[in-house]
Amino acid sequence: MQISDLPYPDPGVPDARTGPRFLLWLGRGQLGGQARSLAWGLLHFGGVAGLPYAVGLGVDAVVRRDGGGLLRVGALLLLLGIAISLGDAMLHRTAVTNWITAAARVQQLLARKTAELGSALTRRVAAGEVASVSTGDVEKIGWFVEAVSRFLAAALTVVAICVGLLFYAPAIGVVVAVGVPVLALSVLPLLPRATRRADVQREKAGKATELASDTVAGLRVLRGIGGEELFLGRYREASQEVRRAAVRSASMWALIAAVQVLLPGALMITVVWYGAVLVTDGRLAVGELVAAFSAVATMLYPLRHFQEIAMAYSFSRPSAARAARVLSLTRTGEAGPAGAGAAAPAPGGDLYDAETGVLAPAGTFTAVVCGDPDLAGRLAERLGGHPTDSVAGARSALLGGVALDELALDTARELVLVQDKDPVLLSGTLRELFDVPASGSVTPAAALEAAQCDDVLDALLQSAPDTVRDPMDARITERGRSLSGGQRQRLALARSLVTDPEVLVLDEPTSAVDSHTEARIADGIAALRSGRTTVVLASSPLLLDRADRVVLVHDGRALSAGTHRELLLGEPRYRAVVTRETDEEQRRAGIGLAGPAEELTGIEESA
């Protein structure tokens, strides 16, 4: 894989059981790139390793006054210089390619997982954690993948130098062969502590990132209550904790670097001292001593990669573990993929949630009233094919008798669309906002009219340049921040209506609009979705009165069903939620005094 070929047509199915397994899977996917990098690394380091031998030959030629031999040494040095330069350039090129392609593969995998899980992802992993994994952790993983081939080339070069010295100057070679493994393994006792400190730094940095993202997202609210200075102080404190953790981590890596400088220096002193003794005794030629000293000196260069691979693995292992944790998440919350081979249900099936007993007959406008907003959110997720993690063994809803989480993800999303209570608008033009997969039966103009977006179009045109005449070409700022909450909500509703899915689930779609607009929106939804299955989770009487059928969910179960007016007159619990009666008013009405048998009366039954 070359950089020009990115992104991957298919990043593959990762081994996300553990961090090391994930790193191994990434390495296996880049064997060709690693082999090229290793080959160029061997050429580069081989040229470096050959310099001491050439220098030794040159010294011997000078001592023997051999002009021809000196010319041959000069030619050898020229070839070694070419090998070093070419190998270094191509090693850098191939290694960086490995880094970028590995990072791109991980980012593609994370993006695919994010699209697969949707809003369920942030319920299992904090948004700041996901952002940290897709930025800093991806770079660390790529760093390790890139460093592996250079380390292997350096390690083979060091072995070759030691073996060469054993044959060229056995007396000195034995000292080097014993000392090099000590140098290579000397930092191992320090790595666990360095890794722990790096993990602490990474954890604190993730918390600071999460705090910053939450502060930015809620900046408007914070300014409204005068709390921006409070959160700014908290972020300052979190930043100082990150700084202190970074200093502690850097001090340990500085110690490791110092050991990597001190011990090779000690080896060089030993080689020079022992070599001088051998030369004095006549057991070693001067050229051999110079070659041995040069070999040890040049060996320090490839030995640096031992420290680098240790650092790269120490940083990338926890990063890979975090990435693997995100990539191992599934729609069902179970290990392994959800069944993707189930056949799609026949059109016109009922939508049924077995956990609550809520039934939405095909082709009807069904409203669901829940006193608990969190329960309503979990119900919306299940109706969309994403079972929640709060209940062990929970499954998604059934459409036409088929569990949505057993269908392929694309199929499930074609059948059911869920709009969250806090929908997000991406930056771009209004035309791009409506460029979504759709049946084509509903035009953007019809959807905008049903969602009562006339004032939104006027506001977008007013803020657009004079050259923009069509509101569909007006730009929406990031997350629609230039619009009010009600305007953003109506644009998101219009986008959902354009898709025209078989089943549309709306969670509090009008919570930020006034009552007059809400009434018109309710009429627009009912008219535009006539004959299509629509489920609205809300407690607004204006929406409930337009629904064909209303279901009351109490204590996690469907308690009763009927029209809005029927439930308002005959069900005290429903009246308490919709009219927002006080506790005293509920006690006067006798709510909560019914026995278990009475509470079960009217609960829906479904096959």
Side-chain angles (χ1 to χ4, degrees), residues 9 44 74 94 112 160 235 239 258 363 365 377 385 420 493 514 545:
H44 171 64
T94 54
R112 186 174 67 182
Y235 183 72
S239 299
F365 182 2
D420 297 334
L493 174 60
D514 61 81
D545 194 40

Side-chain angles (χ1 to χ4, degrees), residues 114 116-125 329-331 381 386-389 413 420:
T114 301
E116 175 188 340
L117 296 178
S119 61
L121 175 62
T122 53
R123 288 203 308 269
R124 304 183 192 181
V125 182
L329 298 176
T330 62
R331 292 167 59 198
E381 289 295 331
H386 294 282
T388 59
D389 299 329
R413 287 184 173 170
D420 297 334

Side-chain angles (χ1 to χ4, degrees), residues 20 39 114 119 231 274 288 309 377 397 399 415 430 458 491 524 584:
T114 301
S119 61
F231 275 79
Y274 184 57
E288 292 176 338
I309 196 65
L399 180 61
L415 296 172
L430 191 58
D458 294 338
L491 276 182
E584 180 62 26

Side-chain angles (χ1 to χ4, degrees), residues 82-106:
I82 294 174
I84 292 171
S85 300
L86 179 62
D88 188 30
M90 296 306 298
L91 171 61
H92 179 73
R93 179 185 179 91
T94 54
V96 171
T97 299
N98 290 336
W99 184 349
I100 294 177
T101 51
R105 185 191 292 269
V106 178

Side-chain angles (χ1 to χ4, degrees), residues 457-480:
L457 300 181
D458 294 338
L460 290 174
L461 270 182
Q462 289 176 3
S463 61
D466 295 336
T467 55
V468 176
R469 304 296 182 185
D470 188 348
M472 296 298 292
D473 295 324
R475 292 195 65 82
I476 301 172
T477 57
E478 180 187 1
R479 303 178 72 90

Side-chain angles (χ1 to χ4, degrees), residues 351-489:
L351 183 65
Y352 175 68
D353 177 51
E355 188 169 328
T356 59
V358 170
L359 173 67
T364 63
F365 182 2
T366 302
V368 179
V369 176
C370 296
D372 183 0
D374 292 335
L375 174 61
R378 294 194 297 271
L379 174 59
E381 289 295 331
R382 288 197 303 275
L383 293 177
H386 294 282
T388 59
D389 299 329
S390 58
V391 180
R395 300 302 303 273
S396 70
L398 305 177
L399 180 61
V402 178
L404 289 171
D405 60 351
E406 294 180 355
L407 298 173
L409 182 62
D410 293 342
T411 303
R413 287 184 173 170
E414 287 176 2
L415 296 172
V416 183
L417 173 66
V418 178
Q419 177 178 303
D420 297 334
K421 63 179 65 178
D422 296 315
V424 175
L425 301 180
L426 301 179
S427 59
T429 65
L430 191 58
R431 195 181 308 278
E432 292 171 341
L433 179 69
F434 286 94
D435 186 16
V436 294
S439 67
S441 301
V442 179
T443 64
L448 288 167
E449 181 180 357
Q452 300 298 307
C453 292
D454 292 342
D455 65 313
V456 184
L457 300 181
D458 294 338
L460 290 174
L461 270 182
Q462 289 176 3
S463 61
D466 295 336
T467 55
V468 176
R469 304 296 182 185
D470 188 348
M472 296 298 292
D473 295 324
R475 292 195 65 82
I476 301 172
T477 57
E478 180 187 1
R479 303 178 72 90
R481 297 190 187 280
S482 61
L483 303 173
S484 68
Q487 290 173 329
R488 290 196 300 270
Q489 196 173 58

